[in-house]
Amino acid sequence: MAYHLVSGIVYALGLTAGVTALSYGDSVTKSPFEKQFSQEFRDGYSILKHYGGNGPYSERRSFGISRDPPESCAVDQVIMIRRHGERYPSPALGEGIEKTLAKLQSSGVEEFKEDLSFYNDWSYYVPNKCYYNAETFSGPYAGLLDAYTHGTEYRDRYGHLLDEDSVVPFWGSGYGRVIATARKFGEGFFGYNYSTNAALNIISESESMGANSLTPSCDTDNDYTTCDNLTNLMPQFKVAATRLNSQNPGLSLNESDVYYLMSMASFELNTRAFSEWINVFIQDEWVSFGYVEDMNYYYCAGLTLLNEGPEKAAPLYLNFAHDTNITPILAALGVLIPDEDLPLDRVPFGSFVRLVLNEAVLPFDKCTSGPGYSCSLEDYASIVSQNLVDYKSTCKIPSSCPQSLDFWWSYNTTTELNYRTTPVACQEGDAMQ
Ligand SMILES: *[C@@H]1O[C@H](CO)[C@@H](O)[C@H](O)[C@H]1NC(C)=O
Ligand SMILES: *[C@@H]1O[C@H](CO)[C@@H](O)[C@H](O)[C@H]1NC(C)=O
Ligand SMILES: *[C@@H]1O[C@H](CO)[C@@H](O)[C@H](O)[C@H]1NC(C)=O
Ligand SMILES: *[C@@H]1O[C@H](CO)[C@@H](O)[C@H](O)[C@H]1NC(C)=O
């Protein structure tokens, strides 16, 4: 009997360096005091979960469902969307950070004390303005390293879906660091054959792409200003400012400065192994900082591909965009919408869908009856189509723009975009190269 598992992959953030898997009962040294299973479980709080999408990627906490395919199942199709790797701040945020750093410099404080004592020997990790927006490439959490490592890990996991004898398309949105990520992932995933057997397709981020986009925008969404205002109003930021000012008489930081310093701290690990700035702020302050999340983008067409299955569609769809493009996909897939309860019964035959978010299997709220708590493709399609609102009409996509997504079906198989041929532009953002 043939089970096959269709795996939907939503890979939201980059990849963690330095996390090692526990291999049960398989320790090399066996002392009489060594426990087979650690009783420690101290990960209730981690800074990695409280700086939004700024800092290094971290895996999702698991529900206890194995990441590997269930017994007797094999993955036969993967649709992945991944954000770019770890990066430098945007130029706009950089401007605020630099203003606050200038405020520290001109404060008249000769020697910084207590929480800020490290600052006397610290230097900003952005060497010059041109680095803003770029993917990072130094330190253990570097974006380019993360993308490459992720590619090699997915090769190990999904390499069996690769047809070695054909040219396999993959897609990145047309933004500098997204393209850089797609290329590094590609080198890791396709290995020696990247230069000949992979074809990067670059999908412009322009709004005129309408629904034919990896980065669709929705002008009817207008939450931006509310979110911006929330950021500065967090009372914890005022408390932090008061604390730092009282430790260093002469300093006159306010809550906006604290926001900029915390933002700066959250990006520091992207280029360095260690951030002293992170320890300047206490847990409550980080929790407040992390509370601000964007939901500005919406829509994905992954459902159609899953329904066609690997026989009609291809087995591998590797896509790259921004973190803000992933949250609306989760909403469309009907997950992480607070709800409850899961009945558990038999295992039917057929195709099953599983969602993997940051390397943890995320069960669908109302559909977990398949192997490994997966959802039958049929049920999945009907549940998701009930949740899905129509992008064209909801977001009022002009009729002059594409009304549906078709780049997954009509794509280039040329390898000419696989490598960069021009120098990186200063503060590169939107870019076809
Ligand atoms: C590279 O592709 C060729 C076919 O184009 C295939 O024979 C070979 O096994 C592939 N090599 C690797 C390392 O994937
Ligand atoms: C497809 O290839 C053409 C010519 O090689 C190139 O100009 C175009 O940008 C490519 N399209 C995508 C989506 O990569
Ligand atoms: C944001 O705050 C500013 C200043 O307090 C205010 O003028 C503006 O109306 C606020 N915007 C929203 C959407 O609340
Ligand atoms: C904090 O101080 C800066 C000037 O150093 C000022 O531009 C900003 O508006 C202040 N923020 C608040 C909330 O007062």
Side-chain angles (χ1 to χ4, degrees):
M1 51 194 163
Y3 291 89
H4 57 169
L5 179 85
V6 179
S7 179
I9 305 292
V10 177
Y11 195 90
L13 308 171
L15 201 84
T16 321
V19 172
T20 48
L22 183 71
S23 55
Y24 299 108
D26 198 25
S27 62
V28 182
T29 56
K30 284 199 171 75
S31 92
F33 299 105
E34 196 173 329
K35 292 169 178 169
Q36 182 183 359
F37 298 102
S38 165
Q39 290 174 289
E40 291 174 9
F41 209 87
R42 295 177 183 166
D43 59 353
Y45 172 83
S46 164
I47 177 62
L48 300 185
K49 294 296 181 201
H50 296 284
Y51 44 49
N54 298 351
Y57 163 81
S58 63
E59 290 187 346
R60 198 182 154 75
R61 201 173 309 157
S62 154
F63 282 86
I65 304 170
S66 170
R67 174 69 178 84
D68 297 326
E71 265 316 289
S72 336
C73 295
V75 173
D76 66 4
Q77 189 183 38
V78 170
I79 299 171
M80 178 196 85
I81 182 157
R82 196 211 123 107
R83 76 156 198 183
H84 52 76
E86 287 73 1
R87 64 178 182 98
Y88 288 96
S90 68
L93 181 59
E95 199 181 315
I97 292 172
E98 288 181 27
K99 276 197 186 131
T100 296
L101 289 177
K103 209 162 159 177
L104 286 167
Q105 290 298 345
S106 63
S107 63
V109 176
E110 280 183 5
E111 197 194 341
F112 286 88
K113 300 261 165 51
E114 300 196 46
D115 292 342
L116 290 179
S117 55
F118 74 93
Y119 180 73
N120 299 304
D121 304 309
W122 181 86
S123 61
Y124 190 25
Y125 53 84
V126 182
N128 66 60
K129 287 182 170 27
C130 285
Y131 284 79
Y132 286 131
N133 266 343
E135 183 127 329
T136 60
F137 48 83
S138 61
Y141 304 99
L144 292 180
L145 174 66
D146 156 16
Y148 184 80
T149 309
H150 186 204
T152 62
E153 290 175 358
Y154 269 39
R155 175 56 181 253
D156 187 30
R157 218 172 241 293
Y158 302 119
H160 65 284
L161 300 177
L162 204 51
D163 173 3
E164 305 266 22
D165 297 321
S166 62
V167 178
V168 177
F170 66 120
W171 295 264
S173 68
Y175 198 92
R177 62 175 178 262
V178 176
I179 298 171
T181 302
R183 286 172 174 153
K184 275 290 169 234
F185 180 99
E187 286 182 53
F189 187 83
F190 295 96
Y192 292 121
N193 280 356
Y194 177 65
S195 55
T196 52
N197 291 33
L200 178 60
N201 282 244
I202 298 176
I203 309 301
S204 164
E205 295 197 347
S206 160
E207 243 186 86
S208 66
M209 294 298 284
N212 197 24
S213 173
L214 280 168
T215 53
S217 57
C218 194
D219 286 342
T220 56
D221 268 356
N222 51 9
D223 271 357
Y224 309 85
T225 39
T226 313
C227 280
D228 288 349
N229 278 3
L230 273 180
T231 308
N232 289 327
L233 291 177
M234 286 292 174
Q236 288 78 9
F237 298 170
K238 272 193 181 153
V239 176
T242 308
R243 179 175 66 250
L244 298 177
N245 292 342
S246 71
Q247 291 173 355
N248 294 279
L251 205 55
S252 58
L253 300 176
N254 63 27
E255 62 268 43
S256 329
D257 296 315
V258 166
Y259 170 73
Y260 284 121
L261 291 175
M262 294 183 84
S263 301
M264 181 184 74
S266 65
F267 281 96
E268 187 167 26
L269 288 177
N270 295 356
T271 61
R272 292 177 173 163
F274 194 85
S275 169
E276 280 153 311
W277 276 105
I278 286 180
N279 297 327
V280 168
F281 304 101
I282 63 169
Q283 188 167 326
D284 288 0
E285 289 150 11
W286 280 115
V287 169
S288 301
F289 184 85
Y291 186 67
V292 185
E293 263 306 87
D294 270 354
M295 276 264 198
N296 296 332
Y297 294 93
Y298 167 73
Y299 185 70
C300 170
L303 182 61
T304 328
L305 289 176
L306 285 175
N307 255 333
E308 286 187 356
E311 296 82 15
K312 271 179 79 189
L316 271 175
Y317 290 87
L318 307 173
N319 303 279
F320 300 84
H322 297 265
D323 32 317
T324 43
N325 303 124
I326 292 176
T327 39
I329 295 174
L330 298 177
L333 293 175
V335 291
L336 301 184
I337 297 170
D339 212 326
E340 49 184 291
D341 273 8
L342 50 150
L344 171 70
D345 34 47
R346 86 231 115 81
V347 179
F349 298 104
S351 290
F352 299 91
V353 181
R354 254 189 10 178
L355 177 66
V356 172
L357 180 64
N358 289 6
E359 299 307 319
V361 174
L362 187 58
F364 297 103
D365 288 342
K366 298 190 180 79
C367 187
T368 54
S369 57
Y373 299 96
S374 59
C375 178
S376 79
L377 179 56
E378 212 180 357
D379 291 350
Y380 174 77
S382 88
I383 291 171
V384 173
S385 59
Q386 283 159 24
N387 288 342
L388 221 51
V389 293
D390 179 59
Y391 175 64
K392 288 176 299 192
S393 54
T394 311
C395 297
K396 303 193 172 58
I397 301 306
S399 58
S400 57
C401 299
Q403 302 291 300
S404 64
L405 189 156
D406 80 358
F407 56 75
W408 279 333
W409 293 269
S410 61
Y411 47 80
N412 281 345
T413 52
T414 57
T415 58
E416 66 187 40
L417 296 175
N418 289 17
Y419 297 97
R420 180 170 196 114
T421 54
T422 55
V424 177
C426 189
Q427 297 186 8
E428 184 170 281
D430 273 300
M432 289 305 293
Q433 288 287 301

